[in-house]
């Protein structure tokens, strides 16, 4: 089963990679798809009934076709990803989040599922596919190369129901935060494009949907994940630490970085609620939050030594 | 950082009452604005200030690593220490940031509480003149009743949907104003106040709490009581005195652990006899995630190891037995330690020769390898073996200097006062085996006992902190997911139309979401439809 999981993992990365290539291909063809445009309009007038989408045009452009293939590959990748995670859990006979490799695997799975969910509900976001699949490929690639750990059971400190609450909520919220960076980055690119910037990253903005929609999507993803993260990191985590180590908070490197991420995301929500702070500034704060999450996922495990035993790489 | 310095002061300073209300409003909004920006800056500072605590070892987390850092960086470490790099979270600059942040929070929350209380009792404002300018607008809705009855009906529908509603008569007809979503601000205030409470709770917990560590070896004669000298290490909060500690005594009767084939621990369980407040000893059990909760102290199992039992028979036939914990150094529990016998080889007529004290140093392997390697192969006692070197001479224990109980006195060895009397290679002992030294004295490896490392802690505020954080979380969710919005209806008498008698009303509606709320359009449409169809 562990073997199967590893093979599925390789296939997952390949599928995401292929999806990424197709998303890039759609980009390269340059023509903004009709579906995309229509759906975009629908997004802008949020809440408009579904029937308003015009009939799909009789013949699809090449870009469109490639885009649809990309979505298909993306969904295939998600299915493989799910398979990888489930077989991993079966192989270990427990929840698949007992070490850093599994933790990243599960976090990315949540991120991918949220992304596909958004993609199905709002096809217009397909233009973010390149960024989303890139993020997934990088995360999973790093997990497989840097953090791979053979299947093993949990150390006793992890056998607690608080651990289940703690880790599952953090995995779900981190997954959403990680996806949240995609609309955040594309918003910044699109905003730059709209402001007349025509240098490299902004040129990507030509085919990206409405900046306001992206900005709102960014906010909603973050606003959804923030309380969940608060619960996981600042309530369930300390509860578990109290039962396991005797203290609810001890400034262990993992705890420090979870605290930092929490503060940065709180700052993002603040900045967004402050009228005098520009939306681009606020979005940059969300991106700083993403960097702190990455630091917690990879950096802390690799550079510092702490009590969080499942954090050890390899 | 001028914003940081001047904000809290100006916010609280009393100011002369201005007669000009517009000016006061401007001032107010300006203050609100700057305070939010200040909060942002301070939040960022706090995040940045927390970073060094994950880079440098912290005294509050791991003292040994700090000491190690000092040895490895003898120049840099003292300089860093001057900036509290090893006590980041207890440093004045970290405290300065969070105290400023919380001052700002108080300065921000108090006026908002007042304002919100006023808003909660205020009536929804009169409908705007030109409703078509509102983001959501509908006109030409008809009802059969006359305006007064229609307005009453609309108000009833709104109230049933839990809107705060106010119907007013105007010269032309009626208006109904309604507002909803006050829980957003209420939740937001609860969240911020809960955070204040949590910080205060943490402070109190620090003042009135205490913690200690104790290594406890299995056995009736190895127990301890809750007195400071019996702890290996203890830290009392500034408001705690030795006499405040709860009274309890405990001894460990059994310790069991199981391991994975990889050597990872699978389970630990300690059985202890505990006496509280001088009462009878009662048996209790606890495990890693299920601490022993006594009245006034929580005891967690944080480590384990082996304590070899060694019996020394001296030149005069006197025997002494020592049970000494050996500290594990790796996952497989290769453990290091020393056994010291300062009071052996004492002449029966009382003559003491300090040159004849005995010390042994070495490693214990719960599972020794077949290749004679000095590393344990597995953490359980499958093939226990002890590698020891013997030393004779002055152990240096009387010098008054506190020495480690886990290592021999290096100075005495260097001076030649303490001499190695065994060969190059350490002697191998298995349980039950005896080692006869050059002078005929013997050391017998009787067996091992398990030991557990305990963390003993009292946090008087932890339950309140939990309650505070849950209140805060609920407040946060309300703050993020509830939306404040207003709707208005203007009800005018319908003009007689072709073929229709006069009577009934025409209604115009408008809606204004006061926060970013994508679902408002649907809600507004549904509400308007409800009014139009006259059913709930
Ligand atoms: C201890 C640090 C603080 C944290 C972690 C924090 C956290 C938050 C969070 C997460 C929100 C988002 C809720 C939402 O968007 O509805 C929020 C909203 C808000 N915070 Fe704070 N806050 C802190 C300090 C402050 C301070 C010092 C002030 C006053 C200057 C303040 C004023 C506000 C206001 C006015 C809102 C409402 C924004 C709105 O939604 O309109 N906060 N805070």
């Amino acid at each position: 089963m562990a073997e199967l999981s590893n093979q599925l993992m390789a296939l997952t990365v390949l599928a995401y990679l292929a999806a990424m290539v197709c998303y890039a291909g759609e980009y390269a063809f340059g023509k903004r798809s009709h579906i995309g445009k229509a759906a975009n309009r629908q997004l802008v007038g949020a809440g408009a009934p579904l029937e308003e989408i015009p009939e799909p045009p009789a013949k699809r452009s090449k870009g469109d076709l490639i885009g649809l293939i990309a979505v298909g590959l993306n969904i295939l990748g998600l299915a493989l990803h799910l398979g990888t995670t489930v077989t991993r859990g079966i192989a270990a006979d427990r929840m698949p989040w007992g070490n850093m490799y599994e933790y990243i695997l599960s976090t990315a799975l949540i991120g991918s599922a949220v992304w596909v969910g958004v993609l199905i509900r709002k096809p217009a976001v397909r233009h973010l596919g390149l960024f989303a699949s890139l993020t997934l490929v990088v995360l999973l690639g790093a997990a497989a190369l840097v953090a791979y750990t053979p299947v093993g059971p949990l150390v006793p400190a992890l056998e607690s129901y608080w651990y289940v609450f703690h880790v599952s909520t953090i995995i779900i919220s981190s997954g959403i935060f990680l996806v949240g960076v995609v609309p955040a980055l594309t918003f910044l690119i699109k905003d730059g494009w709209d402001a007349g910037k025509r240098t490299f990253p902004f040129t990507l903005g030509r085919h990206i949907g409405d900046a306001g929609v992206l900005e709102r999507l960014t906010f909603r993803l973050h606003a959804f994940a923030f309380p969940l993260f608060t619960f996981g990191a600042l309530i369930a985590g300390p509860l578990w630490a109290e039962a396991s180590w005797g203290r609810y908070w001890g400034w262990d490197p993992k705890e420090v970085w979870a605290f930092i991420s929490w503060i940065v995301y709180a700052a993002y929500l603040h900045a967004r609620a402050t009228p005098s702070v520009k939306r681009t500034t606020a979005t940059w704060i969300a991106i700083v939050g993403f960097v702190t999450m990455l630091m917690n996922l990879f950096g802390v495990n690799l550079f510092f030594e702490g009590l969080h035993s499942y954090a050890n790489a390899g | 950082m001028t914003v940081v310095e001047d904000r809290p002061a100006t916010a609280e300073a009393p100011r002369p009452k201005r007669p000009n209300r517009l000016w006061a409003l401007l001032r107010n909004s300006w203050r609100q604005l700057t305070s939010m920006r200040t909060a942002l800056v301070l939040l960022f500072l706090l995040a940045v200030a927390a970073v060094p605590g994950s880079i440098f070892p912290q005294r509050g987390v791991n003292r040994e690593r700090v000491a190690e850092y000092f040895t490895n960086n003898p120049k840099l470490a003292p300089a860093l220490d001057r900036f509290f790099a090893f006590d980041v979270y207890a440093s004045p600059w970290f405290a300065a940031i969070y105290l400023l942040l919380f001052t700002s929070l108080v300065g921000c929350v108090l006026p908002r509480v007042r304002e919100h209380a006023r808003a909660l009792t205020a009536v929804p404002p009169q409908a705007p003149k030109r409703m078509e300018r509102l983001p959501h607008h509908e006109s030409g809705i008809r009802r059969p009743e006359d305006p007064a009855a229609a307005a009453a009906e609309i108000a009833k529908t709104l109230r049933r949907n839990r809107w705060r509603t106010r119907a007013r008569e105007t010269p032309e007809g009626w208006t109904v104003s309604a507002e909803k979503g006050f829980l957003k601000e209420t939740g937001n205030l609860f969240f911020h106040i809960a955070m204040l409470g949590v910080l205060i709770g943490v402070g109190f917990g620090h003042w009135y709490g205490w913690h200690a560590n104790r290594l406890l070896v299995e056995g009736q004669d190895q127990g301890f009581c809750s007195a400071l000298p019996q702890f290996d290490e203890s830290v009392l909060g500034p408001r705690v005195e030795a006499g405040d500690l709860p009274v309890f005594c405990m001894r460990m009767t059994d310790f069991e652990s199981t391991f994975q084939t990889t050597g990872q621990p699978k389970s630990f369980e300690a059985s202890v006899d505990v006496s509280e407040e001088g009462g009878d000893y009662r048996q209790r059990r606890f495990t890693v995630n299920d601490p022993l909760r006594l009245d006034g102290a929580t005891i967690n199992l944080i480590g384990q190891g082996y304590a070899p039992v060694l019996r020394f028979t001296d030149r005069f036939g006197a025997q002494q037995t020592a049970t000494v914990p050996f500290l594990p150094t790796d996952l497989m529990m290769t453990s290091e330690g020393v056994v010291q016998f300062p009071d052996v080889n004492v002449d029966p007529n009382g003559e003491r020769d300090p040159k004849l004290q005995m010390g042994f140093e070495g490693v214990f392997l719960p599972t020794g390898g077949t290749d004679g390697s000095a590393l344990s192969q597995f953490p359980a006692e499958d093939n226990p073996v002890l590698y020891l070197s013997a030393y004779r001479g002055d152990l240096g224990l009387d010098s008054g200097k506190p020495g480690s109980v886990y290592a021999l006195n290096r100075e005495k060895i260097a001076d030649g006062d303490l001499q190695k009397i065994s060969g190059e290679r350490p002697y191998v002992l298995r349980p039950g085996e005896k080692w006869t030294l050059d002078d005929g004295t013997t050391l017998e490896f009787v067996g091992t006992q398990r030991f557990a490392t305990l963390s003993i802690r009292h946090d008087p505020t932890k339950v309140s902190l939990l309650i505070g954080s849950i209140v805060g979380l609920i407040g946060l969710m309300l703050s993020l997911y509830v939306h404040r919005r207003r709707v208005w209806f203007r009800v005018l008498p319908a003009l007689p139309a072709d073929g229709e008698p006069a009577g009934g009303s025409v209604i115009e509606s408008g809606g204004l979401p006061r926060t970013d709320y994508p679902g408002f359009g649907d809600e507004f449409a549904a509400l308007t439809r409800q009014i139009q169809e006259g059913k709930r």
Side-chain angles (χ1 to χ4, degrees):
Chain A
M1 208 42 115
E3 269 300 294
L4 178 64
S5 174
N6 292 348
Q7 286 156 358
L8 283 174
M9 173 68 165
L11 290 176
T12 307
V13 175
L14 280 179
Y16 285 147
L17 207 58
M20 190 175 100
V21 171
C22 290
Y23 282 127
E26 184 186 18
Y27 237 95
F29 274 91
K31 264 211 226 118
R32 175 92 165 276
S33 85
H34 302 280
I35 295 184
K37 259 190 230 158
N40 240 345
R41 228 177 288 128
Q42 183 218 349
L43 262 182
V44 176
L50 222 64
E51 307 89 87
E52 277 180 24
I53 303 180
E55 288 288 301
K59 60 176 178 25
R60 290 218 170 91
S61 74
K62 242 188 213 149
D64 254 339
L65 196 64
I66 298 178
L68 285 180
I69 293 173
V71 172
L73 284 168
N74 198 157
I75 292 174
L76 175 69
L78 176 63
L80 289 166
H81 193 163
L82 182 68
T84 310
T85 316
V86 169
T87 47
R88 178 84 186 184
I90 294 172
D93 194 20
R94 56 171 168 73
M95 289 311 215
W97 52 52
N99 52 49
M100 180 185 156
Y101 169 74
E102 295 171 6
Y103 182 84
I104 298 171
L105 194 62
S106 302
T107 306
L109 177 68
I110 298 291
S112 179
V114 171
W115 155 246
V116 170
V118 172
L119 189 63
I120 288 171
R121 278 193 43 197
K122 302 182 172 180
V125 299
R126 197 167 86 207
H127 293 92
L128 313 188
L130 181 56
F131 302 88
S133 47
L134 178 67
T135 311
L136 285 169
V137 167
V138 169
L139 275 178
L140 291 184
L145 294 178
V146 184
Y148 183 74
T149 319
V151 170
L154 289 179
V155 297
L158 302 188
E159 282 180 358
S160 151
Y161 50 93
W162 283 119
Y163 165 72
V164 176
F165 282 117
H166 169 58
V167 183
S168 61
T169 47
I170 290 194
I171 282 179
I172 294 173
S173 52
S174 319
I176 300 171
F177 278 139
L178 291 180
V179 169
V181 81
V182 174
L185 274 177
T186 37
F187 162 67
L188 289 175
I189 290 172
K190 176 68 177 174
D191 190 72
W193 172 263
D194 289 348
K197 294 189 185 143
R198 292 293 180 268
T199 47
F200 164 61
F202 302 108
T203 45
L204 293 173
R206 191 176 338 177
H207 308 304
I208 296 178
D210 181 65
V213 173
L214 291 171
E215 202 281 331
R216 247 169 283 143
L217 183 62
T218 310
F219 172 69
R220 289 178 69 187
L221 288 173
H222 285 84
F224 180 77
F226 187 76
L228 207 57
F229 188 73
T230 306
F231 174 78
L234 273 63
I235 296 183
L239 275 168
W240 172 41
E242 195 276 331
S244 184
W245 300 321
R247 85 289 185 294
Y248 55 81
W249 192 266
W251 296 111
D252 181 82
K254 273 255 155 192
E255 295 171 356
V256 171
W257 280 93
F259 173 77
I260 293 173
S261 297
W262 187 72
I263 291 285
V264 171
Y265 283 122
Y268 164 68
L269 294 180
H270 259 211
R272 197 176 181 284
T274 311
S276 65
V277 174
K278 276 195 298 206
R279 286 286 153 92
T280 43
T281 314
T283 307
W284 273 113
I285 301 179
I287 289 170
V288 172
F290 173 77
V291 173
T292 66
M293 293 300 285
L294 284 191
M295 184 64 196
N296 214 354
L297 269 182
F298 295 102
V300 170
N301 304 293
L302 300 178
F303 304 144
F304 310 130
E305 184 185 304
L307 280 174
H308 284 76
S309 51
Y310 64 91
N312 296 329
Chain B
M1 287 298 96
T2 45
V3 256
V4 176
E5 284 150 19
D6 63 26
R7 225 285 303 169
T10 50
E12 301 296 0
R15 53 213 140 82
K17 208 160 167 52
R18 300 252 171 192
N20 188 335
R21 287 185 57 193
L22 180 69
W23 176 238
L25 186 77
L26 280 175
R27 252 186 79 111
N28 251 342
S29 21
W30 182 80
R31 199 153 37 111
Q32 183 71 12
L33 187 140
T34 42
S35 62
M36 276 293 269
R37 302 202 87 164
T38 311
L40 254 182
V41 171
L42 288 172
L43 277 171
F44 247 108
L45 276 180
L46 189 66
V48 172
V51 174
S54 70
I55 297 173
F56 303 110
Q58 298 294 299
R59 290 206 173 88
V61 179
N62 197 334
R63 258 173 197 283
E64 291 91 59
R65 308 277 326 264
V66 177
E68 212 174 281
Y69 195 89
F70 269 80
T71 342
N72 296 341
N73 307 279
K75 285 240 171 59
L76 188 59
L80 286 172
D81 203 18
R82 219 162 304 136
F83 296 104
F84 301 91
F86 307 106
D87 296 292
V88 167
Y89 309 106
S91 68
W93 48 268
F94 194 73
I97 296 170
Y98 70 72
L99 287 179
L100 272 177
L101 183 57
F102 277 79
T103 314
S104 160
L105 187 52
V106 172
C108 162
V109 163
L110 285 185
R112 280 172 61 205
V113 169
R114 218 178 312 128
E115 221 161 277
H116 189 52
R118 212 174 298 142
L120 280 176
T121 51
V123 288
Q126 177 61 284
K129 285 240 153 49
R130 310 189 50 183
M131 295 233 265
E132 67 274 15
R133 290 215 177 148
L134 292 170
H136 298 271
H137 176 247
E138 193 82 45
S139 57
I141 309 163
R142 287 184 172 274
R143 302 263 317 186
E145 306 94 338
D146 64 37
E153 197 55 39
I154 292 169
K156 213 166 104 194
T157 307
L158 286 168
R159 287 207 183 93
R160 209 164 32 219
N161 289 325
R162 287 181 294 109
W163 289 77
R164 280 159 190 275
T165 309
R166 176 66 174 263
R168 295 180 175 88
E169 189 162 15
T170 60
E172 301 88 36
W174 283 76
T175 63
V176 183
S177 316
E179 186 160 8
K180 197 172 174 175
F182 289 83
L183 268 180
K184 182 186 191 69
E185 182 70 357
T186 311
N188 190 285
L189 291 173
F190 265 94
F191 167 68
H192 286 88
I193 293 170
M195 266 192 318
L196 270 177
V198 165
L199 186 86
I200 293 170
V202 169
F204 265 89
H206 175 68
W207 277 4
Y208 292 96
W210 57 273
H211 64 95
N213 288 331
R214 164 77 200 208
L215 189 154
L216 178 60
V217 179
E218 214 180 334
Q220 288 295 324
D221 49 348
Q222 301 278 356
F224 72 101
C225 293
S226 58
L228 289 186
Q230 299 205 27
F231 295 137
D232 297 331
E233 200 183 351
S234 59
V235 180
L236 302 189
R239 297 298 171 90
V240 182
E241 315 218 327
D244 299 335
L245 301 194
V247 179
F248 64 86
C249 291
M250 67 189 290
R251 49 195 188 218
M252 188 158 77
T253 52
D254 190 27
F255 185 86
E256 277 171 22
S257 54
T258 55
F259 301 92
Q260 319 288 353
T261 47
T262 58
Q264 294 269 8
K266 192 152 75 184
S267 69
F268 304 141
E269 180 168 324
S271 303
V272 291
D273 285 337
V274 187
S275 147
E276 287 189 82
E277 301 293 338
D280 290 341
Y281 275 94
R282 251 183 281 152
Q283 201 189 29
R284 304 281 291 269
R285 261 171 220 278
F286 61 110
T287 61
V288 171
N289 279 314
D290 182 16
L292 177 61
R293 299 197 188 271
L294 301 178
D295 195 15
T298 304
I299 302 180
N300 287 78
L301 201 54
I302 56 171
Q304 55 154 343
Y306 295 95
V309 182
L310 293 153
R311 185 181 297 135
F312 184 73
T313 310
D314 71 9
R315 295 177 179 196
F316 305 97
Q319 287 192 335
Q320 279 191 24
T321 308
T323 307
V324 273
F326 273 40
L327 298 186
T329 57
D330 63 16
L331 184 66
M332 296 304 182
M333 306 253 282
T334 305
S335 311
E336 292 177 354
V338 298
V339 199
Q340 311 194 70
F341 294 102
D343 301 320
V344 291
N345 296 327
V346 178
D347 196 302
N349 49 34
E351 200 76 26
R352 241 185 120 101
D353 187 347
K355 292 207 185 63
L356 294 182
Q357 294 180 335
M358 291 298 302
F360 298 88
E361 191 173 56
V363 291
F364 170 74
L365 315 181
T367 302
T370 44
D371 56 352
S373 126
L375 290 178
S376 174
Q377 309 296 308
F378 195 68
E381 276 189 296
D382 290 345
N383 177 24
V385 52
L386 191 58
Y387 292 97
L388 286 181
S389 298
Y391 290 81
R392 187 160 55 221
D394 184 358
L395 293 171
L397 297 176
D398 315 321
S399 65
K401 274 192 244 163
S404 165
V405 293
Y406 301 108
L408 292 174
N409 187 323
R410 295 287 142 210
E411 263 173 51
K412 293 287 178 190
I413 294 176
D415 294 350
D417 291 345
L418 185 60
Q419 285 179 343
K420 192 169 182 179
I421 56 166
S422 58
E424 258 322 292
R425 297 179 62 86
Y427 193 81
V428 182
L429 279 165
R430 293 175 197 281
E433 288 181 358
K434 211 178 250 183
W435 178 14
T436 306
L437 300 173
D438 58 350
D439 57 354
T441 57
T442 58
L443 182 77
E444 184 186 351
F445 178 17
V446 180
T448 57
Q449 295 277 39
R450 302 302 306 272
F451 74 78
T453 1
L454 305 180
S455 151
I456 306 160
R457 186 176 284 266
H458 178 53
D459 254 316
T461 53
K462 74 186 169 195
V463 176
S464 343
L465 286 183
L466 178 61
I467 295 171
S469 2
I470 291 172
V471 169
L473 181 64
I474 293 171
L476 175 65
M477 285 163 57
L478 290 175
S479 167
L480 284 170
Y481 306 143
V482 172
H483 299 279
R484 182 99 172 259
R485 63 262 192 204
R486 285 182 178 157
V487 290
W488 290 277
F489 295 87
R490 175 168 288 127
V491 189
L492 301 175
L495 299 172
D498 296 338
E500 267 186 60
S505 332
V506 273
I507 303 164
E508 183 187 16
S509 68
L512 175 68
R514 304 194 58 197
T515 46
D516 204 349
Y517 176 24
F520 184 68
D522 292 341
E523 186 188 16
F524 179 76
L527 196 62
T528 303
R529 212 175 310 129
Q530 228 179 72
I531 301 290
Q532 182 157 27
E533 292 164 8
K535 58 176 192 239
R536 56 153 289 125

